Amino acid sequence: MIFFVIPIIFVYSIFLIFLFLGLRNVKSNRLEEYPVVSVLIAVRNEKDYISACVKALLGQNYPSDKFEVIVIDDFFHRWNKGYFKRF
């Protein structure tokens, strides 16, 4: 029985050493420079929902100089004039 356990422990310890050495060489997924992102929102009579949508998009953890939100409305209503200036 001991002849069976000792090789397994040895192989497992070698595996752990290689795993540790390999994980030290893994590069991080962090971006050095973020790409510019444009989000297009098509709306039609969405006054009740659009503010929550825009707030959620602007609340993202992304650099504000690399992020823009464009709202497109096919039926221009009175509420749209200046409605988004508060954001």
Side-chain angles (χ1 to χ4, degrees), residues 21-65:
L21 293 175
L23 287 178
R24 286 187 13 205
N25 295 329
V26 174
K27 292 186 178 181
S28 172
N29 286 338
R30 294 187 142 196
L31 296 175
E32 296 296 324
E33 184 174 327
Y34 288 91
V36 176
V37 175
S38 298
V39 178
L40 303 174
I41 304 172
V43 297
R44 181 178 181 187
N45 299 330
E46 298 291 337
K47 185 177 180 179
D48 298 334
Y49 308 105
I50 193 67
S51 64
C53 179
V54 172
K55 284 180 186 177
L57 286 171
L58 295 178
Q60 298 295 316
N61 187 14
Y62 204 81
S64 60
D65 61 330

